[in-house]
Amino acid sequence: MCQTRQPERCIKKSSKLIGLIIPDLNNPFYSQIVTSVENKLRPLKYQLIMIFDTGGDDARYKESVDTLIQNNIDGIISSAFEADLSAYTETPIVLFDSGHVNDSLTRIASDNYRGGELAAMALVSSGAKKIIIQHGPLSLPPIRERLEGILHYLNQSQVVYELQSVRDFTLVTAKEETPKLFKDFSDFDGVLAANDMYALEIMRKAQQAHLSVPGDLQIIGYDNSIFSQMSQPTITTIDQQADLIGKSAAETLLKKDQ
C-alpha cells in the first residue's frame, strides 16, 4: 500500500521493463512486430520481457498479463485477445492486430475490411472464376472484418467462392490444412490464403500436383512476410505493415505511461 503525505498519490518508479505478448514467434509477421517494438524502445533504455506461443488461448493470455504485472513492468504490448481486461486499470496496455472494437481499450487496428477487398480484387482482376477463401476463427474481429471485405467484393463481382475454416495461423496447421484444401474442394482456380505461410504451403502442394502457378492456380497471401518471397514464383500478398504496427504500438504505450 502507498503511504505518503504528499502529494495525494504515489508516483511509481519506472522499471524500464515492457511486457510483450505474441501468439506465435515462428510467424514472421509477429517477428517483424517484435523487432519494430524493440527498435523503438531500445534507444530509450527500455528492455522487453517477452511471452510467446500463447496461440489463441484467452486464458493463457490473461495468465501472461498477470505474470508480467508481477514483474513490475511499466506497460504491456500484446496481440489482441478477448479476455476481460477491465480490472487492469493500473498498468498501461496496448493491443495490436486488433479489429475496430468499440470499448475502452487502446487498440492498434489495420483496415482489415479494405485488406480483404484488395485481396479479392487481385484474384478477380487476374481472371479467377472459382475461389477458395481460407479464414481463421470468426470470433476474432480482424478475421471477421477481413472476410466481410472479401465477401462484399466477390458478391459484387458475382464470382463463385467457397469457404475453408482453419483453426489458427501457424505453419504447423498450414501443413495440416493444405492437403484438406485439395481433397475437400475441386475445380477452383484461385485461393485467398489465410496468411503467407498458408500461401506457400498451397503453392508447394499445387506444384507437386503439376499445377502451374499462376497459370492453373492463382494464390494471394496475407501479411507480406518473408514467406511470400520463399517460392518461385513469389507470392502476391497483402501488406499489413508489421513494422508500422510495432512502432505505433510502442509509441502509443509510451504516451500512456507518461
Side-chain angles (χ1 to χ4, degrees):
M1 178 179 293
C2 175
Q3 295 181 348
T4 183
R5 295 181 182 178
Q6 57 162 338
E8 294 183 354
R9 65 183 181 90
C10 286
I11 298 177
K12 176 185 172 182
K13 183 178 179 181
S14 173
S15 64
K16 288 294 184 178
L17 298 175
I18 300 294
L20 180 58
I21 305 173
I22 58 173
D24 179 19
L25 191 58
N26 291 319
N27 187 329
F29 170 69
Y30 293 115
S31 300
Q32 285 177 264
I33 289 175
V34 171
T35 300
S36 180
V37 169
E38 190 172 32
N39 287 343
K40 181 65 182 179
L41 296 179
R42 189 191 307 114
L44 302 175
K45 308 302 181 184
Y46 283 93
Q47 292 184 322
L48 287 180
I49 299 179
M50 278 207 308
I51 298 179
F52 51 88
D53 292 339
T54 51
D57 189 331
D58 283 348
R60 290 179 65 184
Y61 267 108
K62 201 164 184 180
E63 288 173 6
S64 299
V65 171
D66 289 334
T67 298
L68 290 171
I69 290 176
Q70 290 169 9
N71 279 275
N72 192 37
I73 42 81
D74 288 341
I76 296 173
I77 297 171
S78 174
S79 60
F81 56 98
E82 301 305 308
D84 183 13
L85 295 177
S86 59
Y88 299 97
T89 58
E90 299 299 319
T91 302
I93 299 176
V94 174
L95 301 179
F96 66 86
D97 198 20
S98 174
H100 292 82
V101 180
N102 186 19
D103 61 16
S104 61
L105 301 176
T106 302
R107 300 174 179 270
I108 305 297
S110 301
D111 191 344
N112 304 297
Y113 186 94
R114 182 58 177 163
E117 282 190 319
L118 290 173
M121 188 186 307
L123 275 189
V124 172
S125 63
S126 296
K129 301 300 183 184
K130 183 178 179 181
I131 296 171
I132 307 301
I133 307 165
Q134 291 185 322
H135 66 83
L138 295 179
S139 59
L140 301 175
I143 305 307
R144 192 166 60 247
E145 292 168 9
R146 186 198 308 178
L147 183 59
E148 288 171 355
I150 292 171
L151 296 183
H152 178 260
Y153 189 87
L154 294 184
N155 287 331
Q156 281 193 329
S157 304
Q158 298 183 323
V159 173
V160 176
Y161 60 83
E162 293 185 78
L163 304 181
Q164 183 192 25
S165 176
V166 299
R167 71 174 183 272
D168 62 39
F169 302 96
T170 64
L171 182 58
V172 170
T173 304
K175 291 178 180 292
E176 294 173 357
E177 294 289 348
T178 298
K180 298 178 186 178
L181 171 70
F182 288 90
K183 178 182 177 182
D184 296 345
F185 302 94
S186 61
D187 302 324
F188 57 91
D189 58 359
V191 180
L192 290 170
N195 63 15
D196 291 342
M197 292 188 290
Y198 276 83
L200 180 61
E201 287 302 312
I202 293 166
M203 180 175 288
R204 286 175 175 170
K205 187 68 174 178
Q207 291 173 339
Q208 289 172 5
H210 305 292
L211 294 174
S212 168
V213 179
D216 299 319
L217 180 64
Q218 300 180 62
I219 306 167
I220 302 294
Y222 211 91
D223 288 345
N224 193 25
S225 70
I226 188 63
F227 277 89
S228 67
Q229 306 299 316
M230 293 173 62
S231 63
Q232 187 56 246
T234 57
I235 295 166
T236 301
T237 184
I238 302 301
D239 188 1
Q240 285 216 78
Q241 297 182 293
D243 291 340
L244 180 59
I245 290 173
K247 179 183 177 183
S248 298
E251 289 176 344
T252 302
L253 184 68
L254 291 174
K255 290 178 183 177
K256 287 173 66 69
D257 194 41
Q258 289 177 351

